[in-house]
């Protein structure tokens, strides 16, 4: 192993924070409003931390060969992105990104153009960003002997547990919405049964009446706003009205 355990933990945290900063700035500019990015409560995106740490380990032996670094980076990053998407869908019943509109995509989880971007990103990361981060981590280990790694584990571990609880409640809330919407639709006149546009319009117009007792929390509204492509794979009705809920709560 080219890195110590404490180094890997601090790498994970550092790149999770860098990823959060990048996504927050980029998406805020793109969407013309502030986006608090990240799946967890804190200012970090674990997917970047895990991805970059995995890439650093698997590209260590080829870091001096630009072509191999590029190719290995594509393979490792693409596999990571695919299985991260699969994990989110199977464990949390949700999708945070969807590449279905891109050429050559596989189940909307990965796409060639995105993988190419990962390849170039890995080269820039290993050649230019990592040396600077390595200097900071060497200084930290010399001064406080890896104590930062312990703090990271405690803080992010607690955050992860709280997020799991929040997302599970979110999932339950989306199912409540589906139940209430289905009840509302059953009360509509029979002539509207096959007119999906009118049914959807009626549901949107009566959101206040349909809304279940369990309200969306701040974090759940944040996730909806920050990840507009997010879908729950067993709450189809909620997926169709979530955009209106975002606007309703703004």
């Amino acid at each position: 192993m080219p890195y110590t355990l404490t180094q890997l933990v601090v790498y994970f945290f550092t790149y999770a924070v860098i990823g959060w900063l990048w996504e927050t700035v980029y998406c805020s500019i793109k969407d013309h409003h502030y986006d608090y990015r990240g799946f967890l409560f804190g200012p970090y995106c674990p997917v970047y931390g895990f991805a970059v740490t995995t890439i650093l380990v698997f590209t260590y032996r080829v870091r001096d060969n630009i072509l191999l670094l590029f190719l290995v980076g594509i393979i490792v990053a693409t596999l990571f992105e695919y299985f991260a998407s699969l994990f989110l869908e199977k464990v949390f019943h949700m999708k945070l990104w969807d590449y279905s509109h891109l050429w050559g995509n596989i189940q909307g989880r990965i796409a060639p153009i995105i993988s190419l971007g990962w390849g170039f990103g890995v080269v820039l990361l290993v050649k230019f960003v990592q040396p600077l981060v390595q200097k900071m981590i060497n200084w930290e280990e010399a001064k406080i002997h890896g104590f930062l790694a312990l703090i990271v584990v405690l803080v992010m571990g607690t955050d992860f547990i709280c997020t799991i609880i929040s997302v599970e409640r979110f999932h339950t809330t989306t199912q409540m919405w589906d139940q209430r919407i289905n009840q509302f639709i059953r009360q509509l006149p029979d002539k509207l049964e096959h007119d999906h546009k009118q049914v959807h319009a009626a549901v949107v117009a009566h959101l206040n009446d349909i809304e279940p007792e369990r309200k969306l929390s701040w974090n759940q509204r944040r996730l909806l706003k920050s990840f507009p492509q997010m879908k729950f794979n067993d709450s189809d009705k909620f997926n169709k009205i979530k955009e209106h809920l975002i606007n309703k709560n703004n």
Side-chain angles (χ1 to χ4, degrees):
M1 175 66 70
Y3 306 105
T4 65
L5 180 59
T6 55
Q7 283 180 325
L8 291 176
V9 171
V10 179
Y11 284 151
F12 165 76
F13 175 73
T14 302
Y15 286 111
V17 171
I18 291 174
W20 179 85
L21 287 171
W22 155 251
E23 283 220 359
T24 297
V25 171
Y26 171 76
C27 292
S28 295
I29 293 173
K30 179 175 65 72
D31 298 335
H32 306 293
H33 61 75
Y34 176 68
D35 273 342
Y36 186 95
R37 300 291 290 183
F39 187 61
L40 301 183
F41 287 97
Y44 30 67
C45 292
V47 67
Y48 284 94
F50 280 121
V52 174
T53 304
T54 302
I55 287 166
L56 289 176
V57 171
F58 280 92
T59 60
Y60 184 79
R61 296 184 183 278
V62 298
R63 65 190 186 281
D64 296 323
N65 186 315
I66 296 294
L67 179 59
L68 282 177
L69 181 61
F70 177 75
L71 295 175
V72 173
I74 286 178
I75 294 170
V76 174
T78 301
L79 287 173
F80 182 89
E81 188 171 37
Y82 180 87
F83 286 107
S85 172
L86 192 64
F87 173 81
L88 286 170
E89 186 172 335
K90 298 302 181 184
V91 175
F92 295 113
H93 311 284
M94 64 195 310
K95 295 178 70 173
L96 295 187
W97 63 85
D98 187 357
Y99 301 142
S100 298
H101 61 290
L102 297 178
W103 175 84
N105 75 87
I106 298 178
Q107 299 172 352
R109 305 181 194 280
I110 55 176
I113 189 66
I114 302 297
S115 296
L116 281 175
W118 276 112
F120 288 112
V122 167
V123 173
L124 293 174
L125 166 76
V126 173
K127 288 300 184 182
F128 299 102
V129 179
Q130 174 59 16
L132 297 175
V133 172
Q134 186 65 58
K135 287 181 181 179
M136 291 190 298
I137 291 178
N138 289 343
W139 177 88
E140 181 270 330
E141 287 209 323
K143 294 294 183 181
I144 57 178
H145 308 291
F147 185 65
L148 178 59
L150 177 61
I151 296 175
V152 168
V153 170
L154 292 175
V155 171
M156 294 192 73
T158 302
D159 194 338
F160 183 70
I161 293 172
C162 292
T163 299
I164 288 177
I165 295 172
S166 177
V167 172
E168 282 301 316
R169 286 180 61 84
F170 193 6
H171 179 224
T172 302
T173 302
T174 65
Q175 292 182 316
M176 288 180 177
W177 268 101
D178 266 38
Q179 292 172 3
R180 294 295 296 269
I181 291 172
N182 285 328
Q183 290 174 2
F184 175 80
I185 292 174
R186 284 196 289 269
Q187 296 172 3
L188 293 175
D190 292 339
K191 63 180 180 179
L192 294 179
E193 184 177 354
H194 301 294
D195 193 330
H196 299 297
K197 288 185 177 180
Q198 286 198 42
V199 169
H200 179 71
V203 169
V204 171
H206 292 83
L207 283 181
N208 289 333
D209 301 324
I210 297 172
E211 185 173 12
E213 293 182 3
R214 180 184 290 182
K215 309 293 184 182
L216 293 174
S217 69
W218 167 83
N219 189 54
Q220 292 162 1
R221 293 195 302 272
R222 175 186 70 84
L223 288 173
L224 284 176
K225 188 175 180 180
S226 298
F227 300 97
Q229 294 186 3
M230 182 180 69
K231 295 179 181 178
F232 284 88
N233 58 15
D234 57 357
S235 302
D236 183 60
K237 297 292 193 305
F238 177 84
N239 291 333
K240 292 178 180 178
I241 55 96
K242 61 186 176 65
E243 182 178 344
H244 299 281
L245 288 180
I246 296 172
N247 296 329
K248 174 176 175 287
N249 287 286
N250 281 341

